[in-house]
Amino acid sequence: MSQWTDLEFESQEFDATMFKSVAPGRIERCKFTRCSFTDAKFQEMETRGAEFNECNFSGTKLASSVHVGSRFLNCDFTGADCFGATFENCRMVGTVFEMTRLDAIKVIGGDWSYVVLRMQKLDAQDLSDVNFTGADLYATDLRSAILRNARLTGANLGLTKLQKADLRGADLVDVDLRTAELKGARMTLDQAALFAMSYGIVLE
C-alpha cells in the first residue's frame, strides 16, 4: 500500500487519470490547498491528520474510505460517492454535500458546522455529539437518527424529517422547528418547552 506523509500541495489537479495506478492507500498529515480530485478513485483510502482546504471532490469515489482526525474545510463533495465512508473526529466546516451518496456512512464526533447537507438521506445514523452549528439541514432525512448531545445551534431544520429521532441533550438554541417533522421524536422537557415557545406558546 502506497502512503503519502507530511507533503504539501497547492492548486494541483489529482484526477482519475493520475491516480489510475498510483493512488495512495493512506494519506497522513498532508496538506492540500485548492486542489482538485474530480472523479479520482479513492475507494478504501485512509487519511489521518490530513488537511484539505477549499478542495474539489466532485464525483470523487470515496466508498469505504476512512478519515481520522482529518480536516475538510470549505470543500465541495458534489456528486461524490461516500458510501460506507467513516469520518472520525474530523472537521468538515463549510463543506458542501450536494447530490452526494452518503448511504451507510459513519460519523463519530467531529465538527460539521456550516456544512450543506440539504435533502440528504441520513436516516437511522448515529450522529451523537456532532457539532452541526449553523448547518444547512433543510429537508434532510434524519428519521430515527440519534442526535443525542449534538450541537444544532442556528441550524436550518426547515422541513427536516425528524420522526422518531433521538434529540435528547441536543442544543436547539436559535433553531426554528415549526416546519420540521417531529412525530415520535424524543426530547427532554426543556427541549419540548423550546419547541412550544417557537409556536408562541407561553409556558407558566
Side-chain angles (χ1 to χ4, degrees):
M1 179 180 71
S2 61
Q3 178 172 329
W4 290 359
T5 306
D6 297 319
L7 301 174
E8 291 194 21
F9 303 90
E10 184 171 353
S11 301
Q12 293 195 32
E13 292 190 12
F14 302 94
D15 59 17
T17 302
M18 175 180 178
F19 279 129
K20 187 173 183 180
S21 60
V22 297
R26 181 167 177 171
I27 295 176
E28 187 166 356
R29 300 189 306 276
C30 293
K31 183 176 181 179
F32 301 83
T33 304
R34 291 183 295 279
C35 292
S36 176
F37 300 90
T38 302
D39 298 322
K41 296 180 179 179
F42 277 160
Q43 293 98 325
E44 300 182 1
M45 181 191 68
E46 181 179 347
T47 72
R48 287 185 175 269
E51 182 172 333
F52 302 86
N53 295 303
E54 299 179 22
C55 291
N56 184 2
F57 288 91
S58 298
T60 304
K61 310 299 186 294
L62 290 154
S64 300
S65 58
V66 176
H67 310 277
V68 180
S70 293
R71 290 162 296 220
F72 296 85
L73 309 176
N74 298 306
C75 293
D76 184 357
F77 278 79
T78 299
D81 181 359
C82 295
F83 177 84
T86 297
F87 296 89
E88 181 177 349
N89 295 321
C90 291
R91 291 195 69 208
M92 313 297 290
V93 179
T95 288
V96 176
F97 295 91
E98 293 275 3
M99 298 179 290
T100 308
R101 187 176 182 187
L102 298 174
D103 311 55
I105 68 165
K106 187 174 183 180
V107 179
I108 305 171
D111 185 356
W112 290 60
S113 53
Y114 303 102
V115 298
V116 177
L117 285 162
R118 293 172 68 90
M119 296 180 280
Q120 282 293 343
K121 187 174 174 60
L122 295 170
D123 55 310
Q125 293 287 340
D126 187 347
L127 302 169
S128 303
D129 302 306
V130 178
N131 180 7
F132 285 113
T133 297
D136 188 351
L137 298 167
Y138 176 84
T140 299
D141 187 349
L142 289 166
R143 289 174 295 176
S144 299
I146 302 172
L147 289 154
R148 298 199 67 171
N149 301 314
R151 181 175 294 179
L152 292 160
T153 310
N156 178 6
L157 295 182
L159 300 180
T160 303
K161 299 176 178 65
L162 288 162
Q163 296 97 322
K164 296 185 179 179
D166 189 348
L167 292 161
R168 289 175 294 174
D171 187 344
L172 298 171
V173 174
D174 294 327
V175 173
D176 188 347
L177 294 169
R178 287 177 294 180
T179 63
E181 300 176 26
L182 290 160
K183 186 175 181 179
R186 304 181 71 181
M187 294 182 178
T188 64
L189 290 175
D190 288 342
Q191 290 171 312
L194 279 175
F195 176 59
M197 287 188 289
S198 73
Y199 278 93
I201 297 172
V202 177
L203 301 177
E204 296 181 347

